[in-house]
Amino acid sequence: MSFVVAIDGPAASGKGTLARRLARHYGFAYLDTGSLYRAVGQAVRDAGSDPADETAALAAARALDINRINEKAIRTREAGEAASLVAVMAPVRAAILDFQRDFAANPPGGQKGAVLDGRDIGTVVCPDANVKLFVTASPEVRAHRRWLELKGSGSAVSEAQVLEDTRERDARDAGRAASPMKQAADAHLLDTTNLSIEAAFGEAVRIIDKSMS
Ligand SMILES: Nc1ncnc2c1ncn2[C@@H]1O[C@H](COP(=O)(O)OP(=O)(O)OP(=O)(O)O)[C@@H](O)[C@H]1O
Ligand SMILES: Nc1ccn([C@@H]2O[C@H](COP(=O)(O)O)[C@@H](O)[C@H]2O)c(=O)n1
């Protein structure tokens, strides 16, 4: 049976950085579920439609081919915004739910476990995950990290604008009716506001090792 690590938390809290490192450390498969919503949102934009249009979003979700996701195109500010708009739609979420569950239960490459990160992994996608982490940090720290990242990739967006986007996205993700972002009752809270990447990784390994022994 696959050992599943579920990581949830708000935008730019460090979920992906942590999840990727954990997957490498334990030899597990990794799925960034946010990339699925980003790819759906970006596909709607590419088709010239409005990400708030449910018919267009559902068609894009049903047509999603994870092997054809354009990693660069989905990392923009606009793709993040489009992702959070399509993510409020229950039919869109339903269209990609089985894929995520199957990935967790049967990790590709025959790996013995999987790390999934997103907003509803511990609550909806994998409620029986072996370990659940809820990774967070203050909005200001998260916005600063994301701004540095966007600046590094050539974006001229201001830090104040990134903070505003971050707050808006958090509110939409936590406030929606369908699978809202929420810490599962049995999740460990990991606040990275004052933790380096290394320290956050060390804390997560301590929690996971304990649950494996
Ligand atoms: N503990 C940390 N200290 C400093 N920087 C960090 C830390 N964790 C992650 N970062 C940096 O913050 C940025 C956001 O991290 P990451 O992409 O892992 O967040 P995320 O929660 O997966 O975001 P999203 O949900 O929006 O995809 C990255 O540039 C990453 O290098
Ligand atoms: N399990 C998930 C993962 C993501 N979302 C939505 O996608 C947006 C982008 O996700 P990132 O992790 O890449 O920032 C996010 O803001 C959510 O709206 C989701 O709903 N469920």
Side-chain angles (χ1 to χ4, degrees):
M1 203 147 94
S2 172
F3 189 98
V4 178
V5 179
I7 306 184
D8 292 302
S13 56
K15 302 179 299 294
T17 303
L18 181 61
R20 218 168 277 115
R21 267 196 81 167
L22 290 172
R24 219 172 28 240
H25 179 77
Y26 290 105
F28 290 173
Y30 168 54
L31 180 64
D32 166 9
T33 65
S35 71
L36 307 179
Y37 292 94
R38 284 174 180 266
V40 172
Q42 187 57 33
V44 176
R45 281 168 46 81
D46 288 345
S49 300
D50 179 355
D53 174 347
E54 189 166 309
T55 305
L58 183 55
R62 287 185 174 147
L64 181 67
D65 176 352
I66 68 134
N67 297 310
R68 299 193 58 176
I69 293 178
N70 179 337
E71 263 305 311
K72 189 153 187 271
I74 65 166
R75 294 297 151 200
T76 64
R77 211 182 128 217
E78 292 76 14
E81 161 81 5
S84 85
L85 287 169
V86 301
V88 304
M89 301 164 188
V92 165
R93 306 195 72 85
I96 57 176
L97 182 59
D98 284 350
F99 169 76
Q100 297 171 75
R101 286 189 171 152
D102 185 55
F103 185 100
N106 306 293
Q111 281 153 302
K112 295 201 173 346
V115 183
L116 286 82
D117 81 313
R119 301 294 187 289
D120 61 341
I121 309 302
T123 51
V124 174
V125 178
C126 303
D128 298 324
N130 300 78
V131 178
K132 299 179 186 179
L133 302 173
F134 192 84
V135 182
T136 190
S138 73
E140 291 76 12
V141 164
R142 289 187 284 120
H144 183 66
R145 292 174 182 167
R146 180 53 36 89
W147 173 72
L148 286 177
E149 195 183 307
L150 289 168
K151 200 163 70 125
S153 62
S155 167
V157 66
S158 71
E159 187 168 347
Q161 182 62 57
V162 176
L163 178 58
E164 195 182 315
D165 290 355
T166 303
R167 289 190 192 283
E168 196 181 307
R169 191 126 73 86
D170 288 353
R172 195 181 291 136
D173 288 347
R176 68 185 176 222
S179 304
M181 169 177 72
K182 189 161 66 178
Q183 180 178 349
D186 52 351
H188 299 264
L189 180 65
L190 195 52
D191 187 332
T192 70
T193 306
N194 297 306
L195 288 186
S196 65
I197 291 177
E198 197 56 40
F201 173 70
E203 181 56 14
V205 166
R206 192 189 61 74
I207 293 167
I208 296 169
D209 282 353
K210 203 166 156 195
S211 92
M212 282 175 162
S213 62

